[in-house]
Amino acid sequence: MVVETAQRLSHALIIDDHPLFCDALSMTLQSIPGVQSVKTVHLLQDGLDALSTLPQTDVVMLDLNLPDVSGLDGLVRLKKAAQDVPIIVVSSLADQRMIKAVLQAGAQGFVPKHSKRDVFLSAFAKVGAGERYHPDGYVDVPGSADDGSERKVAFDRLATLTNQQARILHLICEGKLNKQIAYDLSIAETTVKAHVTAIMRKLGVQSRTQAVLIAGQARFSNILPSEAS
Amino acid sequence: MVVETAQRLSHALIIDDHPLFCDALSMTLQSIPGVQSVKTVHLLQDGLDALSTLPQTDVVMLDLNLPDVSGLDGLVRLKKAAQDVPIIVVSSLADQRMIKAVLQAGAQGFVPKHSKRDVFLSAFAKVGAGERYHPDGYVDVPGSADDGSERKVAFDRLATLTNQQARILHLICEGKLNKQIAYDLSIAETTVKAHVTAIMRKLGVQSRTQAVLIAGQARFSNILPSEAS
DNA sequence: GCCCACCTTAGACCTTTGGATGATGGTATT
DNA sequence: AATACCATCATCCAAAGGTCTAAGGTGGGC
């Protein structure tokens, strides 16, 4: 057997927009025996690109709060782009619900951003061994069944969205009109409508309001106000 | 400490749809010296009616999950109907966020529904003394400023809604069409539209989708079964 | 009684949304 | 090359959403 079971993760990808943190995490990972390369990007899109150009990547450390995307959106899209690459989510928001949602969405591990070095190391080791990692305090009990199943359905459906569709759903979840979305993305309103139709078909709903609710169920976006005026 | 003012709450109102629980809570309250009457109703609407016919009511025990309404909707409306009557929320959902949201929305106390008798008693006593009550485990630290202030704004705006408008917003938050809402409430679609226009004006938004987002911020309805932030 | 706030409605009008059809070009797979 | 999927866009159309005017009813407060 050529398998060194202790460390199967050779090529890591870090997606995080905090420079200092990236450096520190990168160095931490590089100190692990068996790790051959650590690439760092600052946007989810760059991460998706990196995954296609570096297909040998075998673990991703993902920050949930990127300039690019927010909420579980990024995780869902990343998961879709690389089904079999384990993802360890690193987030500054680390309450029970968030952890649960993240693991339900298919991440292999969750590490609070403020954790000490050895926490990252043990998470990395555990995921490398094919297990899941979550913080000590976390227990997976209180998951009133319906919550879980409904959300899983929502995840499954959101995972079928293409990148552009996800972007558009994101803007819908900010309360924008098709016209505004078209302007933001520099495409025709007709195109937006086509995407919206496709989104609703995939989510199995009949109106954009219902699409927002599905997205909310899955914490797809950080439903926060955009009401500038 | 003040002694004779220790019990200023003579007339209590219980709003809860669980019969056995109502009985138990009613008996518990009646066992308190100084409590002269305890009225029980099963719907929020009945509670609102009771408040207007029994103006001497000086404390309300409110369950958040009524057939009538759900989420903080009921609390906001009750608060609006009786600004100065202290409200103690009794809920089976008792996580940090829910407690925080409830207290931010203006409740004087929060008691998990599964609490023992003496918890209800001490909550009642504390609120009677003009203080606020929350469970032992609860700490109001992580109040990430934006979360609080933005949500407070949302509460303020929601509090200006009339009953009918609140009902309609609730149905909007379930993804229903104006036509369906009209059918549900047995009114004309035109009327629904008029209300929707009024709601959006009060909330300061331009579309129903944005109204849903505001409602979500304030946990107005149970759109998000259990929220993370 | 009068005023005021709320709920109600009709009808006209315009905008937004959602969908159907069809067409083009790019890209990846086979 | 053929296939399939995606993104793009146009045109046309029907339905829903949203605004406005005008108006009738209720009930409470002064």
Side-chain angles (χ1 to χ4, degrees):
Chain A
M1 290 300 264
V2 220
V3 181
E4 53 294 35
T5 45
Q7 185 47 62
R8 306 177 313 195
L9 308 179
S10 310
H11 303 278
L13 172 63
I14 298 174
I15 309 179
D16 194 309
D17 66 325
H18 191 158
L20 293 181
F21 180 82
C22 276
D23 291 349
L25 181 55
S26 176
M27 281 172 56
T28 301
L29 296 188
Q30 280 168 353
S31 76
I32 299 174
V35 172
Q36 295 171 25
S37 77
V38 178
K39 179 165 176 60
T40 302
V41 297
H42 305 301
L43 296 175
L44 180 78
Q45 192 54 56
D46 295 344
L48 294 174
D49 295 346
L51 272 180
S52 57
T53 57
L54 304 172
Q56 80 277 26
T57 300
D58 41 28
V59 63
V60 179
M61 311 290 288
L62 173 69
D63 179 14
L64 282 190
N65 211 5
L66 297 167
D68 222 8
V69 288
S70 59
L72 295 192
D73 176 7
L75 174 56
V76 171
R77 284 160 70 183
L78 198 62
K79 191 75 194 166
K80 184 194 163 207
Q83 252 96 22
D84 36 334
V85 178
I87 299 172
I88 300 175
V89 168
V90 181
S91 171
S92 46
L93 294 172
D95 59 82
Q96 299 282 45
R97 271 161 234 299
M98 179 56 87
I99 298 174
K100 182 172 179 182
V102 163
L103 295 181
Q104 273 186 349
Q108 266 64 38
F110 184 99
V111 182
K113 202 158 190 177
H114 50 75
S115 301
K116 294 196 177 134
R117 176 174 300 249
D118 57 351
V119 175
F120 286 97
L121 292 178
S122 54
F124 197 85
K126 196 150 189 176
V127 171
E131 300 176 52
R132 292 193 148 208
Y133 177 87
H134 54 72
D136 286 343
Y138 177 70
V139 280
D140 188 17
V141 259
S144 67
D146 58 338
D147 176 30
S149 68
E150 278 182 20
R151 194 148 80 197
K152 267 206 161 59
V153 172
F155 279 134
D156 290 346
R157 296 187 171 173
L158 288 173
T160 68
L161 297 182
T162 66
N163 274 347
Q164 188 73 326
Q165 286 165 359
R167 267 191 287 273
I168 287 176
L169 178 54
H170 219 282
L171 294 172
I172 290 177
C173 288
E174 291 175 7
K176 296 192 175 176
L177 304 180
N178 288 342
K179 200 180 297 183
Q180 295 177 282
I181 296 172
Y183 180 80
D184 284 7
L185 298 181
S186 300
I187 56 180
E189 188 179 346
T190 317
T191 310
V192 175
K193 282 158 77 170
H195 284 303
V196 172
T197 300
I199 290 169
M200 292 194 300
R201 204 191 303 282
K202 284 183 177 177
L203 297 187
V205 299
Q206 287 76 41
S207 74
R208 65 172 42 213
T209 300
Q210 292 173 344
V212 169
L213 299 181
I214 295 283
Q217 266 178 35
R219 318 288 189 276
F220 177 77
S221 77
N222 286 346
I223 298 189
L224 289 178
S226 62
E227 176 206 344
S229 66
Chain B
M1 53 188 73
V2 193
V3 185
E4 53 275 72
T5 55
Q7 184 48 62
R8 309 174 312 192
L9 308 179
S10 310
H11 303 279
L13 172 63
I14 299 175
I15 309 178
D16 194 309
D17 66 324
H18 191 159
L20 292 181
F21 180 82
C22 276
D23 292 349
L25 181 55
S26 176
M27 282 173 53
T28 301
L29 296 187
Q30 279 168 352
S31 76
I32 300 174
V35 172
Q36 295 171 25
S37 77
V38 178
K39 179 166 177 60
T40 302
V41 297
H42 305 301
L43 295 175
L44 181 77
Q45 192 54 55
D46 295 343
L48 294 174
D49 296 346
L51 272 180
S52 57
T53 56
L54 304 172
Q56 79 278 24
T57 299
D58 40 28
V59 63
V60 178
M61 311 289 289
L62 173 69
D63 179 15
L64 282 190
N65 212 5
L66 297 167
D68 224 7
V69 288
S70 60
L72 294 192
D73 176 7
L75 174 56
V76 170
R77 285 161 68 184
L78 197 62
K79 190 77 192 164
K80 185 194 165 208
Q83 254 95 24
D84 37 333
V85 178
I87 299 171
I88 300 175
V89 168
V90 182
S91 170
S92 45
L93 290 173
D95 58 81
Q96 298 282 45
R97 270 159 236 298
M98 179 57 87
I99 298 174
K100 181 172 181 183
V102 163
L103 295 180
Q104 273 185 351
Q108 267 64 38
F110 184 100
V111 182
K113 203 158 189 176
H114 50 73
S115 301
K116 294 196 177 134
R117 176 175 300 250
D118 56 350
V119 175
F120 286 97
L121 292 177
S122 54
F124 197 85
K126 195 150 190 177
V127 171
E131 300 175 53
R132 293 192 146 209
Y133 177 88
H134 54 71
D136 287 342
Y138 177 69
V139 280
D140 188 15
V141 264
S144 65
D146 58 336
D147 178 28
S149 70
E150 283 182 15
R151 193 148 80 197
K152 268 205 161 56
V153 173
F155 279 134
D156 292 345
R157 295 187 172 174
L158 288 173
T160 69
L161 297 182
T162 66
N163 274 346
Q164 188 74 327
Q165 286 164 0
R167 268 191 287 271
I168 287 175
L169 178 54
H170 218 283
L171 294 172
I172 290 177
C173 289
E174 292 175 7
K176 296 193 175 177
L177 305 181
N178 288 342
K179 199 179 298 184
Q180 294 176 285
I181 296 172
Y183 180 80
D184 283 6
L185 299 181
S186 300
I187 57 181
E189 187 180 349
T190 318
T191 311
V192 175
K193 286 181 175 183
H195 284 304
V196 172
T197 299
I199 290 169
M200 293 193 298
R201 206 192 303 281
K202 283 184 177 177
L203 297 187
V205 299
Q206 288 77 38
S207 74
R208 63 170 44 212
T209 301
Q210 291 174 341
V212 169
L213 299 182
I214 295 283
Q217 265 177 39
R219 319 290 189 273
F220 177 77
S221 76
N222 287 344
I223 311 169
L224 321 171
S226 44
E227 173 60 37
S229 73

